[in-house]
Each structure stands twice: as C-alpha cells, then as structure tokens.
C-alpha cells in the first residue's frame, strides 16, 4: 500500500458556471487526521465527494488507496434497521457468520451502547446515533474515514463528549481521517493537521500542523494556541 | 396508569357517543317527529337484522362483497406496487406513463360501470374490475411519490456497503417507502370498500351494494339501515386491520419522528 492513501493534484470542480473548488493540492498520510475547516457553502462536502470517488473533478487528479467509509452530514443510519443491524452493514463481507457476530459484539462493547443495540435510530439520542454511525464506519477493514460535520447537530456538551469518544476509538482502531467541520476549536482539538479553506471557489488558505499526540484536552495550551492561530489567520482575533 | 386510562377512553368515549345517538334516534321516533315510513325506529332495524341474518342473506352478501374487494384490491397491490417501484426508478418511464396513469386516476370508477357490464357481465368479475380500476392508479401514484421522497443518503450508504441493484430495491427502496405505502394502502382500501357498494348496485345480484339496492326497491327502510350499519362497520374493521401494519417495529420510524 502507498504511504499516501489520499492525493489531490491540482483539483478543480465546477457546477456549470459556478467554480466550487479551484486548483487544490492535498496529500494525506497513512493514519493522519486532517481537519478541513471553512465557511459554509465553500465546498467542503464537494471535496469529500471527490475524495470518496462519488464525484469526479472537472480538472486535476484524485488518487485513493484503501477502502473508504463516509459519515454523512445528514445522518446516514437506515431508520428501518436497528443499531446493531446498521453496524452489521459494515461487516457484511466478513465470513464466517460467527466471526461477523463476534466483531459486531466487539463494536457494540467499544461504543458502550449497552441496552440499546436493538433499538431503532429514532429511539436513540443524537450522541448515540453518532456513535453507531462511527462504529459502522470503523467496522471491518475500512482504511479511510471521511466525516462531514458529524457533530454539528449535537448540543455543546454532547459534542465535547463525542470528540473524546472519537479520539478514544481512533486510538484503538487507527484510520486515515478527513474530518470536515466549521468548528475551529473542534479541528484544533482533534486533528494532526488543520486545512483552512477560503470562500468559494475554495482553495487552501492556510495549513497548520499540530504536533501534540492525540487524544488531547480542549484547554491544552497547544490546542488553545492552534485555535488562536487559525482565528488570527481568518482575521477573527488579533 | 395514564396509558391504561387512555386505552379505556379510546373504547368508552366512542361507545358513549354511539349510545347517545341511538337514544336520540329512539326518542325522535317515539315522539312522532319522524314518520315510520321515512325513518325506521331502532326496534324495526333490530328486527331487520334478525330477518336478514336468519335468511342467511346477510352473511352471503358480506362474503360476496369482501371477496370482490379482496380480489380487486389484492390485484391492484400485486401489480401496482411493482409498477410504482419501476416508475420510481426510471425517469424515462415516468415521463412516458405518468400522464396516462393520472388520466385514468381521474376517471371516476363509476364511469366504467357500462363497460364493466358489457365486458364481464353481471357478477364478481365486473365488480372486481371496477375495484381494480378505482385502486390501481392512485396506488401507483402514491408509490411513485414515496420513492421520489426517499433521501438520497440512504442509497449512498447502501452503495458504500456494496449493495447490488436487487438489494437496493428490496433492502432500501421498499423499506424506505413502507410507512407511506401503509398509509396509501389504508386510503385505497377505503376507496375499494366504497366502490364495491356502488358497483354492486347495478352490476350484481348479490353483495351488500345489491342488498342496499334491493331494500330501496322493496321500500324497506329498516333493511336499508341494516345494510348501511353493516357496510360502515366492516369499513372500520378493514381499516383497523391495516392499521395493525403500522405497529411493525421496523416501520415505526415513519410515524414517530
Ligand atoms: N450537485 C450540485 N450542483 C450544483 N451546485 C452544487 C452541487 N453540489 C454543490 N453545489 C454548490 O457548491 C457549493 C458548495 O457546496 P458544499 O460542498 O455542499 O458546501 P459546504 O459543504 O462547504 O457547506 C454550494 O454553493 C452549492 O450550491
Ligand atoms: Mg456540507
């Protein structure tokens, strides 16, 4: 396997007259956690669609090595399946059945769903639903995790808890992650590298590496410093 | 505790209204406000029930009407749901066929009575044909609309997990439209029950619709009331049966969100 699971070379995407992404270069290393921040409507979801191969660039090349799983912005749990059945979708290709059941049990334990495995998504809290989605994306042998503002619909405290939860799960099951958010604090707390996009047409305005090992506290001086650095770049702090 | 009082209320309140209505009816009849030839008294209707039941006519008519609705509605579901799913998945087919399906949906089933009798004669077949014509087209349109409203993210998730096209249909499209489909089935079954009575008034010699027609011609308002009470009750029972489908665990999401 290549040492760079994702490579974008001079990528542009326009819809008719509207240029959404223009001349974007990005390489993401194995096991790296990259956060993409940018104003809403700037093309973050479009970028993830290019990375997953769902959409094709109008110019430039996208290279991808490994199996991709996406956590969608709108929430991608199938409402007619229970939490356990939804997670099992990610284990479909695992044979024999006994091994699949064992892995399902492991994942359920991992996200501490306790008595809620056989509940349907509409019976779960927002945080639980996100945990089920993450478990499904981590199931099996996926390599690359694309996450589109996964926590933006949660309340503040649940969001903080989900950040911890994601960092904990990734420590146990490392993946290459591209995490889209408009929450700069969230990006600084979670990512190895934060990529700041401009307004549409999006290109990279700034990139910031955060050397501190994960998981981290929100109030860790390095996280605070990174947050300040990004806000200053955006002209929101001096 | 709260739940218990709610369930007893769902039975007791309508029952109380029913008892009050029958009492009012009885009062109006005994006070002579209505003449017995225009409006049968509760006692006469009760006697009518006994008469119809003893002659075996009532059960026979109920059986005939239920058989026709079951067959016509069943055929409409069997053919209409797959057609709706296919139209839902093919833009070209929608373009070509939807205007025509809409055209036939707009035709009152009663307009078909003449042809139904010409083609199928008097009896089961023409009534089944009329019920089919009344239910097939609205059902197809409901399925098409339900398919169109499925969020695309469900298909993307299924695609990400390697679903083939047959699996997409059976394990995404069908479960995704289930709540709306059940609602459509309730509406359409109600239409079928209304239509069978109308169809049997001219195109049959048995069935509840025929019994209504017969009671009218025989100047028997008591029997007319008997048939009407039976028709309404069976309609409510049929709907109750279909409502049970909404209690399936994997469709609750459609009603609880
Ligand atoms: N399929 C499409 N057709 C036309 N325009 C699109 C399409 N997808 C996205 N866009 C446009 O691209 C821009 C960026 O969209 P998106 O990537 O969803 O933004 P973000 O996720 O950053 O909020 C928006 O202006 C949107 O209108
Ligand atoms: Mg978006």
């Amino acid at each position: 396997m290549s040492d760079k699971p994702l490579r974008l070379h001079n990528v542009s995407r326009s819809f008719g007259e509207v240029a959404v992404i223009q001349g974007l270069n990005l390489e993401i290393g194995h096991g790296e956690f990259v956060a993409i921040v940018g104003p809403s409507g700037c093309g973050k979801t479009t970028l993830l669609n290019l990375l997953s191969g769902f959409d094709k660039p109008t110019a430039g090349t996208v290279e991808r090595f490994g199996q991709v799983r996406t956590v969608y912005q709108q929430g991608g749990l199938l409402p007619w399946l229970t939490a356990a059945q939804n997670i099992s979708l990610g284990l479909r290709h695992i044979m024999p059945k006994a091994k699949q059941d064992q892995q399902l049990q492991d994942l359920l334990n991992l996200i501490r769903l306790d008595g809620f495995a056989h509940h349907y998504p509409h019976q779960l809290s927002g945080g639980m639903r996100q945990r089920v989605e993450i478990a499904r994306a981590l199931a099996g042998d996926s390599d690359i995790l694309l996450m589109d503002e996964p926590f933006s619909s949660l309340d503040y405290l649940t969001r903080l808890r989900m950040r911890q939860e994601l960092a904990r799960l990734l420590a146990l099951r490392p993946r290459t992650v591209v995490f889209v958010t408009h929450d700069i604090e969230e990006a600084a707390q979670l990512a190895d590298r934060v990529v700041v996009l401009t307004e549409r047409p999006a290109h990279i305005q700034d990139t910031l590496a955060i050397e501190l090992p994960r998981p981290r506290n929100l109030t860790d001086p390095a996280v605070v410093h990174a947050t300040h650095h990004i806000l200053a770049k955006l002209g929101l702090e001096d | 505790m709260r739940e218990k009082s709610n369930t007893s209320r769902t039975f007791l309140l309508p029952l109380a209204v029913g008892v009050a209505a029958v009492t009012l009816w009885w009062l109006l009849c005994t006070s002579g406000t209505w003449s017995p030839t225009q409006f049968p008294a509760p006692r006469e209707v009760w006697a009518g029930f006994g008469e119809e039941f003893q002659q075996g006519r009532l059960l026979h008519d109920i059986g005939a009407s239920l058989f026709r609705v079951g067959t016509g509605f069943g055929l409409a579901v069997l053919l209409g749901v797959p057609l709706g799913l296919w139209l839902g998945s093919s833009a070209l087919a929608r373009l070509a066929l939807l205007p025509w399906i809409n055209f036939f949906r707009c035709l009152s089933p009663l307009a078909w009575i003449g042809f139904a009798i010409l083609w199928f004669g008097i009896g089961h077949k023409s009534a089944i044909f009329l019920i089919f014509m009344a239910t097939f087209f609205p059902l197809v349109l409901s399925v098409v609309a339900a398919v169109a409203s499925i969020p695309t993210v469900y298909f993307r998730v299924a695609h990400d997990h390697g679903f083939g096209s047959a699996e997409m249909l059976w394990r995404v499209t069908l479960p995704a439209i289930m709540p709306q489909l059940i609602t459509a089935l309730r509406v359409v079954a109600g239409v079928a029950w209304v239509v069978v009575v109308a169809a049997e008034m001219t195109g049959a010699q048995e069935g509840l619709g025929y019994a209504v027609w017969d009671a009218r011609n025989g100047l028997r308002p008591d029997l007319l009331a008997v048939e009407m009470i039976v028709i309404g009750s069976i309609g409510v029972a049929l709907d109750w049966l279909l409502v049970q489908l909404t209690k399936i665990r994997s469709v609750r999401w459609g009603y609880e969100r």
Side-chain angles (χ1 to χ4, degrees):
Chain A
M1 197 173 284
S2 158
D3 60 336
K4 297 283 185 202
L6 291 169
R7 277 174 207 260
L8 296 180
H9 182 68
N10 220 359
V11 164
S12 300
R13 177 67 169 107
S14 33
F15 296 101
E17 297 283 279
V18 186
V20 175
I21 290 174
Q22 203 153 51
L24 199 123
N25 289 293
L26 186 64
E27 293 195 349
I28 297 172
H30 197 70
E32 195 183 3
F33 190 128
V34 171
I36 311 271
V37 297
S40 86
C42 79
K44 302 182 296 296
T45 298
T46 306
L47 177 60
L48 286 190
N49 286 341
L50 293 170
L51 285 171
S52 71
F54 177 78
D55 193 16
K56 300 273 173 281
T58 26
T61 53
V62 178
E63 284 179 83
R64 177 185 331 101
F65 300 96
Q67 210 209 337
V68 176
R69 291 278 172 72
T70 306
V71 174
Y72 292 97
Q73 192 170 2
Q74 317 88 316
L77 294 181
L78 303 181
W80 55 88
L81 299 181
T82 62
Q85 289 168 333
N86 265 291
I87 295 173
S88 294
L89 285 182
L91 299 166
R92 270 158 53 89
H93 301 295
I94 288 170
M95 288 295 152
K97 186 84 173 67
K99 194 172 163 202
Q100 193 179 329
D101 290 344
Q102 183 54 51
Q103 296 205 12
L104 172 63
Q105 209 47 57
D106 290 348
L107 284 162
L108 287 170
N109 293 339
L110 201 64
I111 60 168
R112 303 177 186 140
L113 213 55
D114 298 327
F116 288 89
H118 301 294
H119 281 56
Y120 287 84
H122 75 272
Q123 300 170 314
L124 304 177
S125 68
M128 278 186 192
R129 276 203 293 272
Q130 277 322 315
R131 266 145 62 202
V132 174
E133 282 224 45
I134 293 170
R136 186 173 71 184
L138 290 174
D141 342 288
S142 61
D143 309 290
I144 301 168
L145 202 57
L146 305 180
M147 306 182 79
D148 197 352
E149 305 196 20
F151 307 148
S152 59
S153 62
L154 304 174
D155 64 88
Y156 187 66
L157 287 180
T158 310
R159 210 180 310 162
L160 293 186
R161 202 161 293 130
M162 283 308 300
R163 287 184 205 163
Q164 283 185 329
E165 189 74 3
L166 178 63
R168 181 179 71 84
L169 292 171
L170 284 172
L172 295 168
R173 298 189 176 216
R175 295 287 189 275
T176 303
V177 183
V178 181
F179 186 101
V180 162
T181 178
H182 52 234
D183 185 334
I184 287 152
E185 233 178 52
E186 185 167 84
Q189 188 183 359
L190 287 172
D192 300 319
R193 186 154 52 116
V194 181
V195 173
V196 183
L197 297 183
T198 60
E199 294 271 352
R200 211 181 59 212
H203 49 95
I204 296 177
Q205 178 181 4
D206 189 36
T207 301
L208 178 72
I210 306 168
E211 304 288 349
L212 197 68
R214 295 180 265 134
R216 315 166 182 138
N217 285 329
L218 180 57
T219 49
D220 190 292
V223 173
V224 174
H225 179 259
T227 308
H228 169 73
H229 179 95
I230 300 163
L231 287 172
K233 279 280 176 187
L234 292 171
L236 298 168
E237 267 186 19
D238 344 283
Chain B
M1 239 165 62
R2 172 108 186 234
E3 203 135 289
K4 193 176 165 194
S5 77
N6 274 348
T7 45
S8 60
R9 269 187 207 173
T10 47
F11 290 106
L12 287 180
L13 277 178
L15 193 68
V17 172
V19 169
V22 172
T23 311
L24 187 68
W25 173 19
W26 175 77
L27 279 174
L28 286 169
C29 289
T30 47
S31 69
T33 316
W34 285 329
S35 92
T37 51
Q38 284 176 335
F39 215 93
R43 178 194 295 275
E44 294 169 288
V45 173
W46 181 247
F49 254 110
E51 185 186 327
E52 289 281 273
F53 197 74
Q54 263 164 15
Q55 289 175 354
R57 240 191 85 171
L58 189 58
L59 286 182
H60 180 79
D61 286 337
I62 290 174
S65 295
L66 280 177
F67 170 72
R68 291 160 180 168
V69 164
T71 312
F73 176 66
L75 279 175
V77 174
L78 233 52
L79 299 175
V81 174
L83 179 64
L85 290 174
W86 179 62
L87 286 173
S89 69
S90 162
L92 207 64
R94 276 201 300 280
L95 224 53
L97 295 179
L98 271 195
W100 294 107
I101 290 171
N102 220 354
F103 172 85
F104 283 105
R105 186 194 57 135
C106 294
L107 279 178
S108 162
L110 305 183
W112 285 103
I113 287 180
F115 282 120
I117 294 174
L118 271 179
W119 295 340
F120 300 106
I122 282 177
H124 283 323
K125 276 191 204 151
S126 64
I128 290 168
F129 171 74
L130 289 173
I131 290 163
F132 179 83
M133 294 308 268
T135 53
F136 177 74
F137 299 102
L139 193 58
V140 171
L141 288 175
S142 305
V143 172
V144 172
V147 171
S149 71
I150 302 174
T152 48
V153 68
Y154 298 160
F155 294 108
R156 285 190 68 178
V157 167
H159 178 262
D160 290 350
H161 292 91
F163 279 47
S165 51
E167 264 188 315
M168 280 293 185
L169 187 64
W170 292 112
R171 297 191 53 201
V172 181
T173 309
L174 203 58
I177 66 166
M178 222 40 197
Q180 278 170 277
L181 181 59
I182 291 169
T183 305
L185 290 179
R186 284 180 64 189
V187 172
V188 165
V191 169
W193 190 242
V194 170
V195 166
V196 74
V197 172
E200 287 168 343
M201 286 171 79
T202 48
Q205 306 230 287
E206 56 190 344
L208 290 167
Y210 173 73
V212 165
W213 186 251
D214 200 41
R216 190 204 103 140
N217 288 343
L219 297 177
R220 290 288 302 270
D222 54 336
L223 295 188
L224 203 50
V226 168
E227 310 302 346
M228 286 166 73
I229 290 168
V230 170
I231 290 167
S233 309
I234 293 178
V236 170
L238 286 178
D239 190 55
W240 179 85
L241 263 168
L242 287 169
V243 165
Q244 300 314 302
L245 290 177
T246 66
K247 301 197 171 148
I248 300 170
R249 262 164 55 81
S250 64
V251 307
R252 288 306 310 158
W253 61 274
Y255 311 102
E256 283 175 14
R257 276 210 282 215

